[in-house]
Amino acid sequence: MDFDQILAKCGDFNRYQFMILALFGFINIIVSMHYFTQTVISFVPDHWCYHEKLVNMTYKEIADIYSKFESPSCTRLADIDGGNVTVSSEKCEKWIYNYDFGYRSMNTELNWVCDSAYKARIGQSLFFIGSVVGTLFYGLLSDKIGRVPALILSNFCGFAGDFSTIFTKSVATFTLCRFISGLAADTNFYLMYIIVLEYIRPSMRTLGLNMAVGLFYCLGLVFTPWLAVLAGHWQIYLACTSLPILLVVLYYFVVQESAQWLVTRNDIDGAIVRLKRVARFNGRHVTQAEFDEFRRHCQMTREMQGGDDKKHATLLDMFRTPRMRKNTLILFFKSMVITLCYDAVSRNVEGMGISPFIMFSLSALAVLPSSILLVLLQDRIGRKGMASGSLLVGGLFTAAAGIAIAYQQHNHNAILLACLTIAARFGVAISYESGSQYATELIPTCVRGQGVAAVHVAGFAASFLAPYILWLGTFFKAAPSIILGVLFFAGSFVCLLLPETLNRSLPTTIEEGEVFGKGERMFDFPCLHHHDDDDSDSEMEKYKRKHSLIDAKQQVESGQYNKRKQSLIDADREEQALKDAKH
C-alpha cells in the first residue's frame, strides 16, 4: 500500500484538506501584501519643487507653471512674477506633493525623489538579493528540518524585515531591513504550497490549489493599495501588513508535517503518526493492519534503494541522471522566462497616466480569471499542455503590450495600455500558476523543498536582466517585445519535452524521478489519448522491481536473496489483486 492509497483511506479531500486550503488562502493574502510592500510604500505622486509663492496656488496652476521645463519635478525656481519665472541654479531640497488619495508614502516623507530617488531602488535591489539567499536557505532547511518549521521561520523573517522598516530613516538601515524582508520572499508561499499539494488527492490538486491562489491572492492584491489609502501613511500601512504574519506561528499546532517528506527521511513512524492525526480529524477509521501494510511498503522501497546506508538526496542529485537533469534544466529555463517576462511587463507600463492605486487593482483582477481558467482546463489538457499553451498565449499578450507601449511613448492611450497590461498580466499569471504546480509535482519528494527553491531562484536571477532588455528599446523600439516573445515561445516549446503528471502518483526518490513518464512522447496529452492512469506508475514499479532483483542476486552469498525475492513476488501478487478488484 503506497502513500496515495493510505492517504485515500485517511481522507485525501475532506475536513483536514479544507482546513489547510483555508490556511493556504491566508498565506496567499499576507504574501501578496508582503511581496508588494516595497512598491506601495514607494509610490511617488505628482510633485514640484517648493517655492513660497506656490503655497496658495492650486495643483493645476502649479503644474502649468512647471510645464515649461524639461524636468518639472526637480527644477528649482528663484522667483515667480506673474507669468515670468526665473530658474535657480541650486538643487531642490523641498517639494510640494499632490498626494494620491491623501496617501503619504515613504518616498514623499523622506523626500527620496529626483536626485535621491535611487535610495528606494537600492532597497528594492536588496529585497531581491535577499529573496535569492532566502529561497536557497529555507529550501535547503525545509528538506533538513521539515516544511512546517521552515515555513514559520521564513514568515517570521518577513515580519521582522517589514516591521523594522517602519523605524528606518537612512539608506543603510532601510536596505538592511529590505534585505531581511526579502529573505522570506517566495519561501513563505511555496512551502505551504508543497504541504497542501502532498496531502490532497491528485485529481483535486488543480481545483484546490489554483482556486485558493486565485481567490485569496487576488483578494490580497486588490485590497493592498486601498489598505494603504485607508491607513493614510506608509508606517501605519507597514504595521497593518506585518503584524498578521505572526499568526503563521500557530500553524505549528494545526498543520501536519509532510508525511511523504518524513518517509524520505526514513521516519516511517513519524509519517504514520501524522496520517493517524489526519484520519482522526477527517473522522476516518483506518486499521492498524493497514498502517502496517504501508510500513512494509516503505521498508521494502527503502531496501530497493539501498537501505539505511544510502545518503539523503541533495539538489546535486537532480543533475546526476540524464532524464532528471533534462527535466530540471527545463524547469529552470521555464521559471526564468516567466519571472523575467513578468517583471519586464510590469516595468514597461510605468508612467502611463493612471493612478498607481487604480492600475494596481485593475491588473490584479487578472489573477482570479487565470486561476478559474486553470481549474477548467488543466485537468482536461494536462499539466504539460497547460504549461506550454499558457506560455504561448502569454507571449502573444506580452508582445502586443510591449509593441503598443513602445510605439506610443509620447501619446499614451491610457485605456488601450490598461487593457493590454491586464491581458499581459493574465497570460503571465496563467503561466506562473501552472508552472508552480508543474514544478512541484515533477520534483521528487526527497529534494522537493530545495528543488523548488532552486527553480524560483533561477527565476529571480533572470529578473535582473529585465531593465537591460527594456534599455534596448532606446535603439529599436520593438526590441524588448521581440526578445520577450522569443523567450516565451522557446519556453512553450521546451515544456513539451516534460512528462505529464496529471492523476499520476508523484515521484518520491531520484530513481523514481528518473523513470517517471519514461516512453512518453512530446505531443502526448490526456485530452487526446486516454491512457490508463496507472500505466506510468506500473512502468516505474516494474523498473524498481527489475533493478531490485539485480541487487538482490548480488546478495545471494549473504543469504538475503530468497527473502527479498519472496517479498517482491508477494508485492506482484498484491498489485495483481488490486487490479483484479478494480476490474
Side-chain angles (χ1 to χ4, degrees), residues 63-80:
D64 289 340
I65 292 174
Y66 277 97
S67 62
K68 306 171 185 177
F69 305 102
E70 183 178 353
S71 180
S73 298
C74 306
T75 301
R76 184 168 182 172
L77 302 180
D79 187 37
I80 302 175

Side-chain angles (χ1 to χ4, degrees), residues 284-320:
R284 295 289 190 90
H285 176 69
V286 184
T287 64
Q288 185 59 42
E290 290 171 321
F291 283 117
D292 290 339
E293 186 179 352
F294 171 67
R295 185 194 304 275
R296 286 194 297 272
H297 169 81
C298 295
Q299 291 173 340
M300 185 177 70
T301 302
R302 184 174 60 186
E303 290 177 5
M304 290 178 179
Q305 296 162 359
D308 295 331
D309 296 332
K310 185 175 180 179
K311 296 180 179 179
H312 293 303
T314 65
L315 180 63
L316 294 178
D317 290 323
M318 295 175 64
F319 298 91
R320 182 166 48 85

Side-chain angles (χ1 to χ4, degrees), residues 32 36 216-225 360-361 364 367 425:
S32 65
F36 289 101
F216 294 99
Y217 195 77
C218 179
L219 178 64
L221 287 179
V222 172
F223 182 65
T224 291
F360 193 97
S361 294
V367 175
R425 178 73 175 268

Side-chain angles (χ1 to χ4, degrees), residues 30-80:
I30 63 174
V31 164
S32 65
M33 292 190 291
H34 170 262
Y35 189 80
F36 289 101
T37 288
Q38 178 71 32
T39 302
V40 175
I41 66 175
S42 302
F43 280 158
V44 179
D46 292 335
H47 56 286
W48 308 271
C49 195
Y50 175 83
H51 193 280
E52 59 271 11
K53 292 186 178 181
L54 300 175
V55 174
N56 296 322
M57 292 186 182
T58 64
Y59 292 121
K60 186 178 183 306
E61 292 173 336
I62 297 174
D64 289 340
I65 292 174
Y66 277 97
S67 62
K68 306 171 185 177
F69 305 102
E70 183 178 353
S71 180
S73 298
C74 306
T75 301
R76 184 168 182 172
L77 302 180
D79 187 37
I80 302 175

Side-chain angles (χ1 to χ4, degrees), residues 23-38 127 151 154-155 158 162 178 181 184-193 213 216-221 224 237 241-242 244-245 248 251 360 432 456 460:
L23 295 176
F24 180 52
F26 176 72
I27 288 286
N28 273 274
I29 292 176
I30 63 174
V31 164
S32 65
M33 292 190 291
H34 170 262
Y35 189 80
F36 289 101
T37 288
Q38 178 71 32
F127 179 89
L151 172 71
S154 173
N155 276 276
D162 282 355
R178 299 321 297 159
S181 177
D186 238 26
T187 49
N188 54 358
F189 166 81
Y190 79 74
L191 289 178
M192 188 64 184
Y193 188 99
V213 172
F216 294 99
Y217 195 77
C218 179
L219 178 64
L221 287 179
T224 291
Y237 165 76
T241 57
S242 59
I245 300 177
V248 178
Y251 281 33
F360 193 97
Y432 187 84
H456 284 256
F460 280 129

Side-chain angles (χ1 to χ4, degrees), residues 404-507:
I405 292 170
Y407 284 98
Q408 293 187 5
Q409 289 182 352
H410 303 294
N411 186 24
H412 286 169
N413 185 326
I415 296 177
L416 174 62
L417 290 182
C419 291
L420 288 175
T421 301
I422 294 171
R425 178 73 175 268
F426 176 77
V428 175
I430 294 176
S431 303
Y432 187 84
E433 290 185 48
S434 64
S436 296
Q437 182 173 347
Y438 203 8
T440 307
E441 291 180 344
L442 271 178
I443 297 174
T445 305
C446 59
V447 290
R448 187 164 290 155
Q450 51 193 305
V452 174
V455 169
H456 284 256
V457 165
F460 280 129
S463 66
F464 293 136
L465 297 175
Y468 301 102
I469 291 178
L470 297 180
W471 175 70
L472 294 176
T474 59
F475 304 100
F476 177 53
K477 292 182 179 180
S481 59
I482 292 175
I483 294 173
L484 295 176
V486 169
L487 288 173
F488 257 124
F489 298 143
S492 175
F493 171 75
V494 297
C495 281
L496 296 174
L497 304 177
L498 293 172
E500 182 57 63
T501 62
L502 178 62
N503 293 332
R504 303 240 176 107
S505 295
L506 304 183

Side-chain angles (χ1 to χ4, degrees), residues 79-153:
D79 187 37
I80 302 175
D81 183 14
N84 300 319
V85 293
T86 306
V87 178
S88 173
S89 59
E90 297 180 6
K91 290 185 177 181
C92 190
E93 297 178 353
K94 188 177 180 181
W95 285 263
I96 298 172
Y97 295 100
N98 183 11
Y99 295 106
D100 222 347
F101 294 98
Y103 172 69
R104 295 174 181 267
S105 68
M106 178 197 67
N107 286 38
T108 60
E109 183 170 288
L110 300 180
N111 286 324
W112 284 1
V113 294
C114 295
D115 291 341
S116 297
Y118 74 92
K119 296 179 180 179
R121 296 192 186 104
I122 293 176
Q124 183 72 358
S125 299
L126 266 292
F127 179 89
F128 282 113
I129 293 174
S131 68
V132 171
V133 176
T135 301
L136 283 174
F137 174 74
Y138 286 114
L140 292 169
L141 192 66
S142 71
D143 283 335
K144 292 291 184 182
I145 66 173
R147 318 292 197 218
V148 176
L151 172 71
I152 294 172
L153 290 173

